[in-house]
Amino acid sequence: MTALTVPPGWSQDGLFADGVGAGLLRADLGPGVVAGFTTRHGGVSPAPWSSLNLGANTRDDGARVRENRSRLGAWLGAPVAFTSQVHGDGVLVLGQAERAEWLSDAPPVAAGEADAAVTAAVGFGLGVLVADCVPVLLADPAARVIGVAHAGRAGVRLGVVHRVVDAMVAAGAATEQLRAAVGPAVCGRCYEVPAAMRDDVAAVVPAAHGTTRAGTPSLDLPAAVLAQLAASGVHEVVHVGRCTLEDPDLFSHRRATAAGSLTGRQAGVILLT
Ligand SMILES: [Zn+2]
């Protein structure tokens, strides 16, 4: 494994390291907020999920996924709730009742069907699972409200980023105080799609219009999410800028599928402390 490239505004946390100091990219979203993105490293799953697979629907062994999630919770110092992601724009608002469930000896696999979640509960991590789609973390560190969103092609088109910002404002956040982190995802130079599909998404979010290195139509989902955050009034944004398909330290559904293989899921996680 090669050393990770850590972009400006990010730090690298070695707590998940396989002895080489790589494992988790941490984003500064303000005081009282812990936020970061996992990589493949630091878990117990064997190939093809090696090793920190956090996704339950990946045909990996459930006990290993629970152990990997437990390690993530240990790093964060709190349980991490995941939703069952359905490529929609629904937002779950989670509170103390859900926190108690996730703190129990038998935490749920998912909090419910939604592609975004919001909480104002202290000590309750929110997670979003990805392997090419865009993970988005949001915080208003003053109002003490956090959120996550899973933005793939469908979520970008539906505006899940706008929905989670709206839900955070409804929970007490102020748009001008929001800070966001956009994690690793497949880049616009790699995510080739049919021209009609590109045009369909770009008609809704023009920034999604992309072209691959080979000159064929693509979708630039990270650019689309950045544009949607800006349109929502979120201007303090850090972007990790790493491509899941190009980077062997990250899970990529598209890379695995092209190789006839399976893959795991990495996560974006956020917590109010
Ligand atoms: Zn790429």
Side-chain angles (χ1 to χ4, degrees):
M1 190 181 79
T2 54
L4 302 182
T5 303
V6 181
W10 296 74
S11 60
Q12 190 172 322
D13 196 303
L15 291 176
F16 281 140
D18 296 320
V20 287
L24 191 133
L25 291 166
R26 197 158 164 171
D28 179 7
L29 294 188
V33 179
V34 180
F37 298 95
T38 66
T39 65
R40 297 184 68 135
H41 303 291
V44 298
S45 296
W49 307 280
S50 50
S51 63
L52 191 71
N53 171 33
L54 297 160
N57 298 316
T58 53
R59 292 166 63 182
D60 191 0
D61 177 65
R64 292 194 297 249
V65 174
R66 284 194 295 278
E67 169 60 22
N68 290 335
R69 288 183 174 192
S70 172
R71 288 183 174 207
L72 178 63
W75 171 78
L76 203 60
V80 182
F82 295 97
T83 61
S84 181
Q85 299 169 181
V86 292
H87 294 281
D89 66 347
V91 185
L92 280 181
V93 179
L94 304 177
Q96 292 300 339
E98 289 82 11
R99 179 172 180 265
E101 280 183 62
W102 285 84
L103 273 169
S104 73
D105 291 338
V109 173
E113 287 192 351
D115 287 84
V118 166
T119 194
V122 174
F124 189 24
L126 300 180
V128 55
L129 296 165
V130 286
D132 285 337
C133 294
V134 186
V136 185
L137 311 177
L138 290 139
D140 179 338
R144 308 275 292 153
V145 178
I146 55 173
V148 297
H150 160 249
R153 174 172 57 84
V156 162
R157 194 181 184 290
L158 289 167
V160 68
V161 166
H162 300 306
R163 301 294 97 72
V164 73
V165 168
D166 291 346
M168 291 180 72
V169 169
T175 306
E176 62 275 15
Q177 294 175 167
L178 285 177
R179 299 169 68 164
V182 177
V186 66
C187 82
R189 307 295 282 171
C190 290
Y191 186 26
E192 183 179 49
V193 295
M197 184 181 284
R198 175 181 68 177
D199 295 346
D200 174 60
V201 179
V204 182
V205 191
H209 190 281
T211 306
T212 65
R213 286 186 189 84
T216 56
S218 79
L219 285 171
D220 192 334
L221 296 183
V225 165
L226 292 170
Q228 289 179 316
L229 285 167
S232 271
V234 183
H235 300 297
E236 198 165 339
V237 180
V238 285
H239 176 210
V240 75
R242 286 169 53 162
C243 174
T244 47
L245 192 143
E246 296 175 60
D247 190 334
D249 289 315
L250 298 164
F251 293 112
S252 168
H253 183 266
R254 198 164 250 239
R255 184 179 65 228
T257 302
S261 181
L262 298 168
T263 193
R265 299 288 182 277
Q266 56 246 345
V269 287
I270 187 165
L271 172 77
L272 283 174
T273 61

